[in-house]
């Protein structure tokens, strides 16, 4: 049996502890109903035998204390909530144990912003990772050595798994079920839990807010200028001239603080404006395209799909 160890950190999201347990125990039931032995040995593990969550509203009684667990095959790190600095600090005792188990051959999966705890172990350095799109800027600033794939629902590299935001962790759980058992079992689980087994992108759900906590007042002014004038024709040269900065210096400085090139930032601001119009208005796709400063339908469609994960028509049909 595969030993699945679900950590119960301080400040965990209760559902992100309960749901993985439900998934793997349900798969065990599927095996038993077909005349086979259970496949997973599922245990919850904490730094204390009782962990209070949600300001004491929820209390989880762990199966084992961390110090009493010698071996794990798969470690699940749940999503966390509240102040991320506090959560990272309070759960520091988990990190050496996670690293030790990984070095012994265990695989590790983080759910949503549980990626902050996994990244704190150092195991993700030089590797890719997913987390909730809303926390992408904060994650990049805190862990610059990790390659954040904030558009992906699931990332997997060298036995380290991570999921995108919120309920997308169910897709990672399905992915793990398929990896450890069979595609057939994953399909059964997807039907039981009513999950889309092929969902692989967070882009249709993300909202672009830019990276504005960098403290570079000149680049903040540039960002503000782009966001107020996105409907106009904006060029890198014209913006650099307006703010009195050489183009090469401007591009390098802007990319450093925003994690986007100037052109990428302009495109993302335009597409975010287009998304809002498609969500709430009665305008056609063509009208929205012109409103946000595009005149070439193919270019608009291609850029929109690359950034939003859906074509403008599909996005409108889903959200309007």
């Amino acid at each position: 049996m595969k030993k699945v160890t679900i950590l119960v950190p301080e400040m965990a999201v209760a559902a992100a502890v309960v749901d993985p347990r439900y998934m793997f125990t349900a798969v065990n039931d599927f095996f038993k109903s077909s005349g086979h032995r259970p496949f997973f040995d599922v245990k919850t593990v904490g730094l204390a035998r009782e962990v209070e969550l949600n300001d004491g509203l929820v209390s989880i009684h762990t199966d084992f204390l961390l110090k009493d667990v010698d071996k794990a095959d798969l470690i699940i790190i749940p999503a966390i909530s509240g102040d991320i600095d506090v959560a990272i600090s309070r759960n520091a005792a988990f990190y050496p144990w996670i690293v030790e188990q990984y070095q012994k051959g265990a695989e590790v999966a983080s759910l949503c912003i549980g990626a902050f705890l996994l990244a704190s172990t150092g195991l993700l350095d030089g590797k890719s990772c997913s987390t909730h799109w809303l926390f992408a800027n904060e994650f990049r600033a805190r862990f610059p050595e990790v390659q954040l794939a904030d558009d992906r629902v699931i990332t997997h590299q060298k036995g380290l798994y991570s999921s995108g935001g919120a309920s997308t962790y169910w897709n990672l759980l399905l992915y793990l079920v398929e990896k450890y058992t069979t595609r057939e079992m994953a399909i059964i689980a997807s039907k039981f839990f009513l999950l889309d087994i092929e969902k692989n992108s967070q882009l249709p759900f993300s909202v672009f807010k830019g990276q504005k906590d960098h403290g570079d007042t000149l680049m903040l002014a540039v960002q503000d200028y782009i966001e107020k004038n996105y409907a106009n024709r904006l060029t890198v040269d014209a913006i650099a001239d307006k703010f009195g900065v050489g183009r090469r210096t401007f591009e390098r400085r802007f990319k450093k603080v925003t994690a986007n090139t100037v052109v990428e930032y302009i495109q993302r601001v335009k597409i975010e404006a287009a998304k809002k119009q498609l969500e709430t208005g009665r305008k056609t796709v063509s009208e929205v395209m012109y409103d946000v400063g595009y005149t070439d339908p193919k270019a608009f469609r291609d850029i929109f799909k690359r950034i939003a994960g859906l074509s403008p028509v599909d996005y409108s049909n889903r959200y309007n």
Side-chain angles (χ1 to χ4, degrees), residues 2 5 36 51 86 91 116 140 219 252 313:
K2 291 292 183 182
T5 300
H36 297 87
V51 183
V86 175
N91 293 293
F116 282 82
R140 283 194 179 95
M219 294 302 104
R252 184 172 59 251
V313 171

Side-chain angles (χ1 to χ4, degrees), residues 279-320:
E279 290 166 11
T280 60
R282 296 179 177 272
K283 293 181 179 180
T284 66
V285 170
S286 293
E287 289 172 326
V288 170
M289 176 188 73
Y290 287 116
D291 281 353
V292 299
Y294 286 100
T295 57
D296 182 340
K298 183 179 185 305
F300 174 65
R301 183 173 61 252
D302 290 347
I303 294 170
F304 191 102
K305 188 169 184 178
R306 173 168 55 80
I307 292 175
L310 297 170
S311 71
V313 171
D314 289 341
Y315 189 91
S316 179
N317 289 339
R318 176 179 291 193
Y319 291 110
N320 191 312

Side-chain angles (χ1 to χ4, degrees), residues 4-18 20-21 42-48 51 53 60 62-67 69 72 74-80 91-99 101 107-111 114 117-118 121:
V4 178
T5 300
I6 303 171
L7 302 185
V8 187
E10 295 282 337
M11 300 172 66
V13 174
V17 175
V18 174
R21 186 179 185 281
V42 187
K43 302 296 182 186
T44 56
V45 174
L47 301 176
V51 183
L53 305 174
I60 293 182
T62 61
D63 296 309
F64 292 100
L65 293 174
L66 187 71
K67 65 182 181 65
V69 179
L74 174 63
I75 300 167
I76 304 292
I77 303 176
I80 53 176
N91 293 293
F94 281 109
Y95 308 150
W97 182 87
I98 294 170
V99 172
Q101 292 298 315
E107 298 192 310
V108 187
S110 66
L111 311 184
L117 301 187
L118 178 54
T121 67

Side-chain angles (χ1 to χ4, degrees), residues 90-312:
R90 286 189 183 178
N91 293 293
F94 281 109
Y95 308 150
W97 182 87
I98 294 170
V99 172
E100 179 185 7
Q101 292 298 315
Y102 180 73
Q103 291 171 344
K104 289 180 178 179
E107 298 192 310
V108 187
S110 66
L111 311 184
C112 191
I113 60 171
F116 282 82
L117 301 187
L118 178 54
S120 296
T121 67
L123 292 175
L124 286 175
D125 291 359
K127 302 181 183 70
S128 60
C129 173
S130 294
T131 191
H132 197 299
W133 60 263
L134 184 61
F135 295 86
N137 290 338
E138 184 173 353
F139 188 93
R140 283 194 179 95
R142 188 184 295 272
F143 304 109
E145 64 281 1
V146 181
Q147 301 161 13
L148 184 62
D150 55 347
D151 61 324
R152 304 299 298 170
V153 165
I154 297 169
T155 58
H156 171 207
Q157 192 171 5
K158 296 184 178 180
L160 300 172
Y161 306 82
S162 54
S163 73
S167 63
T168 62
Y169 65 66
W170 282 100
N171 295 86
L172 175 55
L173 297 176
L174 275 182
Y175 183 87
L176 293 169
V177 167
E178 180 174 353
K179 178 185 182 298
Y180 281 98
T181 62
T182 64
R183 174 73 171 181
E184 178 185 8
M185 189 57 68
I187 291 173
I188 292 171
S190 74
K191 291 180 178 180
F192 179 81
F193 289 103
L194 275 67
L195 298 171
D196 179 1
I197 197 169
E198 297 298 342
K199 184 164 66 175
N200 58 17
S201 176
Q202 301 192 79
L203 289 178
F205 308 98
S206 65
V207 178
F208 180 62
K209 294 186 175 181
Q211 165 63 291
K212 295 184 176 179
D213 56 355
H214 47 72
D216 187 326
T217 55
L218 181 60
M219 294 302 104
L220 284 171
V222 171
Q223 290 172 269
D224 185 60
Y225 176 77
I226 292 171
E227 290 164 14
K228 289 179 179 177
N229 294 276
Y230 65 82
N232 301 325
R233 183 175 182 273
L234 299 173
T235 67
V236 178
D237 285 328
I239 298 173
D241 288 343
K242 178 176 177 60
F243 287 90
V245 186
R247 173 165 178 156
R248 291 182 62 184
T249 300
F250 172 46
E251 290 186 301
R252 184 172 59 251
R253 187 169 164 182
F254 191 90
K255 177 70 179 289
K256 180 180 179 181
V257 299
T258 69
N260 291 275
T261 67
V262 182
V263 171
E264 288 170 345
Y265 197 91
I266 293 170
Q267 290 175 341
R268 296 190 70 176
V269 169
K270 286 177 178 287
I271 297 307
E272 191 61 38
K275 285 164 59 180
K276 290 177 181 176
Q277 289 199 36
L278 292 172
E279 290 166 11
T280 60
R282 296 179 177 272
K283 293 181 179 180
T284 66
V285 170
S286 293
E287 289 172 326
V288 170
M289 176 188 73
Y290 287 116
D291 281 353
V292 299
Y294 286 100
T295 57
D296 182 340
K298 183 179 185 305
F300 174 65
R301 183 173 61 252
D302 290 347
I303 294 170
F304 191 102
K305 188 169 184 178
R306 173 168 55 80
I307 292 175
L310 297 170
S311 71

